[in-house]
């Protein structure tokens, strides 16, 4: 795989890095979709979410068009910007932001559009998912060089198989990448040899989210269809078991682990809820309504809290706006909710577990009340201590 040099740039001194401001928290949480017939412990009804306690301090900055995933790397916040179009042959950028002010410290220009991000702290390497091109780009942040991993192959309809979520086994030097197709797959890559170890195929609908449990050496894939989670042995590439859900067809678009508590958290986009699984048995421990089009989920062991973003809009309700919900990790009660118009997207945590970062996307429909002609989207910093 060829190694390419990258262009890193810093904003000129004396130039304002873009508008900073305190977010006006105003929109109400969109009502949840039908929750299905779970027999497990249930969270509050959608109406009860509106009675959550007072919100915590929020800082919001307009940054760039086409914001997607973000990670905390070396104390800074790295944010993927795919720009204002979906043309696969156009480039994008990775913004390095100050973790306290969200001001731009540097910009990495990329030849392809970045969507997914994962960070290996030991190697100081950023893994960037070029979704439309079927490539994961590994960027050595120290050397300002990159290597491409071609995973998605050309399709009969044109373009390439898409890559989505990237999860890392840092100690073992492996990368796990999902392909959210109607008959999707997962690639397991040996990063030391630069080779695909296994392609786990025919996972049925939309394998999208991924979380790796290093202690148990298990890979969890969130997806749709008649079950919500597939458990994979990454050494053999073999499917070990599946976690099923009762009721309406789920779509666990993102998943997160509490490896010490043997729990897996899933954001169910179809029903607008958090689903909590016991990883030892696959049993559903809880389901908590958060709002329409649940998207990203994180678990914070420092505060024993779960964070879930929901976009608040769908084809049926295109004018809605979303929020980030803070959920108690023991009782599954809603502790707080941050209304963030228009569409909260991806989440990341500071190393000390006290700051939550998020990207907030704007609507594409010019009839939406929050539409902006400049297509600027935002990064948000939430101090979880209030």
């Amino acid at each position: 795989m060829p190694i390419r040099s990258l262009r890193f740039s810093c904003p000129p001194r004396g130039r304002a890095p873009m508008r900073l401001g305190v977010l006006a928290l105003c929109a109400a949480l969109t009502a949840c979709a039908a929750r299905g017939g779970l027999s497990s412990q249930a969270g509050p009804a959608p109406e009860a979410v509106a009675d959550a306690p007072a919100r915590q301090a929020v800082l919001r900055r307009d940054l760039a068009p086409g914001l997607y995933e973000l990670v905390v790397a070396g104390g800074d916040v790295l944010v993927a910007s795919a720009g204002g179009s979906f043309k696969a042959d156009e480039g994008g950028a990775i913004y390095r932001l100050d973790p306290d002010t969200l001001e731009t410290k540097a910009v990495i220009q990329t030849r392809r559009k970045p969507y997914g991000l994962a960070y290996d702290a030991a190697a100081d390497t950023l893994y960037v998912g070029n979704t439309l091109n079927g490539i994961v780009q590994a960027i050595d942040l120290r050397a300002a060089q990159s290597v491409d991993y071609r995973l998605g192959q050309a399709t009969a309809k044109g373009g390439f198989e898409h890559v989505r979520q990237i999860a890392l086994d840092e100690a073992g030097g492996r990368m796990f990448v999902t392909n959210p197709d109607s008959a999707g797959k997962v690639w397991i890559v040996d990063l030391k040899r630069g080779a695909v170890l296994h392609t786990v195929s025919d996972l049925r609908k939309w394998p999208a989210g991924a979380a790796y449990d290093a202690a148990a050496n298990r890979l969890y894939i969130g997806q749709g269809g008649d079950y919500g989670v597939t458990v994979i042995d990454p050494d053999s590439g073999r499917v070990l078991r599946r976690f099923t859900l009762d009721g309406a067809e789920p779509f666990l678009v993102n998943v997160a682990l509490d490896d010490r508590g043997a729990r897996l958290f899933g954001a169910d986009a179809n029903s607008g809820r958090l689903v909590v699984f016991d990883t030892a048995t696959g049993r559903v421990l809880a389901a908590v309504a958060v709002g329409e089009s649940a998207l990203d989920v994180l678990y914070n062991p420092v505060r024993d809290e779960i964070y879930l973003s929901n976009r608040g809009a769908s084809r049926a309700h295109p004018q809605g706006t979303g929020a980030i919900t803070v959920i108690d990790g023991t009782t599954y009660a809603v502790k707080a909710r941050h209304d963030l118009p228009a569409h909260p997207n991806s989440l990341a945590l500071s190393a000390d577990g006290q700051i939550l970062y998020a990207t907030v996307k704007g609507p594409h429909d010019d009839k939406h009340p929050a539409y902006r002609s400049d297509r600027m989207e935002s990064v948000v910093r939430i101090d979880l201590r209030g």
Side-chain angles (χ1 to χ4, degrees):
M1 283 170 271
I3 297 176
R4 296 182 174 87
S5 297
L6 295 170
R7 181 160 61 89
F8 289 57
S9 61
C10 299
R13 293 187 178 182
R15 179 180 295 177
M18 286 185 190
R19 181 174 63 84
L20 278 168
V22 177
L23 176 66
L25 299 167
C26 59
L29 182 67
T30 304
C32 293
R35 297 178 59 192
L38 286 176
S39 59
S40 60
Q41 174 186 349
E47 294 80 3
V49 177
D51 297 325
R55 304 172 182 90
Q56 298 158 313
V58 177
L59 177 69
R60 179 168 179 163
R61 178 192 168 190
D62 291 344
L63 180 64
L67 300 185
Y68 286 90
E69 290 195 353
L70 72 172
V71 294
V72 174
D76 293 333
V77 182
L78 302 183
V79 186
S81 168
S85 78
F86 292 100
K87 296 179 180 179
D89 57 351
E90 292 183 357
I94 308 292
Y95 288 84
R96 182 185 285 273
L97 306 183
D98 182 280
D100 297 319
T101 66
L102 301 183
E103 294 181 359
T104 299
K105 298 174 68 174
V107 181
I108 305 171
Q109 302 293 337
T110 60
R111 295 189 305 110
R112 294 178 297 271
K113 291 182 176 299
Y115 292 91
L117 296 181
Y119 178 65
D120 182 338
D124 198 18
T125 296
L126 182 69
Y127 292 87
V128 181
N130 304 136
T131 295
L132 303 180
N133 308 88
I135 290 172
V136 173
Q137 180 182 17
I139 301 175
D140 184 328
L141 296 176
R142 295 192 190 104
Q145 294 181 330
S146 72
V147 174
D148 290 343
Y149 292 87
R150 158 63 65 195
L151 299 176
Q153 301 304 306
T155 68
K157 296 180 179 179
F160 296 89
E161 296 171 312
H162 287 181
V163 299
R164 187 184 183 272
Q165 194 76 45
I166 305 167
L168 297 175
D169 170 15
E170 296 182 30
R174 295 182 296 187
M175 174 173 66
F176 314 109
V177 184
T178 62
N179 161 237
D181 205 339
S182 57
K185 61 186 67 171
V186 172
W187 293 284
I188 300 175
V189 182
D190 183 334
L191 295 171
K192 298 173 183 176
R193 296 193 295 119
V196 175
L197 292 172
H198 305 288
T199 300
V200 187
S201 301
D202 299 323
L203 291 177
R204 297 157 80 172
K205 287 186 178 179
W206 318 313
Y212 175 64
D213 184 340
N217 190 31
R218 291 292 178 264
L219 178 64
Y220 296 90
I221 302 298
Q223 58 186 110
D226 53 0
Y227 49 81
V229 176
T230 295
V231 186
I232 297 171
D233 174 3
D235 290 345
S236 66
R238 185 167 60 91
V239 173
L240 298 177
R241 65 182 307 174
R242 293 183 168 95
F243 299 167
T244 59
L245 285 165
D246 296 331
E249 179 178 298
F251 181 23
L252 300 189
V253 62
N254 280 313
V255 292
L257 275 167
D258 168 20
D259 50 7
R260 290 182 295 183
R263 295 181 297 175
L264 182 76
F265 308 102
D268 186 352
N270 280 357
S271 63
R273 62 185 173 175
L274 166 75
V275 182
V276 185
F277 296 92
D278 181 328
T279 56
T281 65
R283 183 171 65 91
V284 174
L285 300 175
V288 183
V290 296
E292 192 164 28
S293 300
L295 182 61
D296 203 6
V297 60
L298 279 183
Y299 175 65
N300 184 349
V302 175
R303 298 176 58 89
D304 190 25
E305 291 175 338
I306 308 152
Y307 313 110
L308 204 103
S309 64
N310 75 286
R311 294 178 60 83
S314 64
R315 291 182 180 178
H317 305 99
Q319 301 301 307
T321 62
I324 293 174
T325 303
V326 181
I327 299 168
D328 187 284
T330 299
T331 66
Y332 305 118
V334 172
K335 298 175 66 174
R337 188 196 60 193
H338 304 274
D339 295 319
L340 295 167
H343 307 309
N345 203 72
S346 298
L347 306 173
L349 270 173
S350 61
D352 65 2
Q354 303 303 328
I355 306 295
L356 180 67
Y357 300 96
T359 52
V360 181
K361 300 189 65 60
H364 292 286
D365 185 356
D366 60 8
K367 297 180 177 59
H368 193 287
Y371 176 80
R372 294 179 54 164
S373 58
D374 62 6
R375 298 291 182 94
M376 294 293 284
E377 296 180 340
S378 305
V379 179
V380 172
R381 178 188 187 275
I382 301 174
D383 190 331
L384 298 168
R385 297 163 294 194

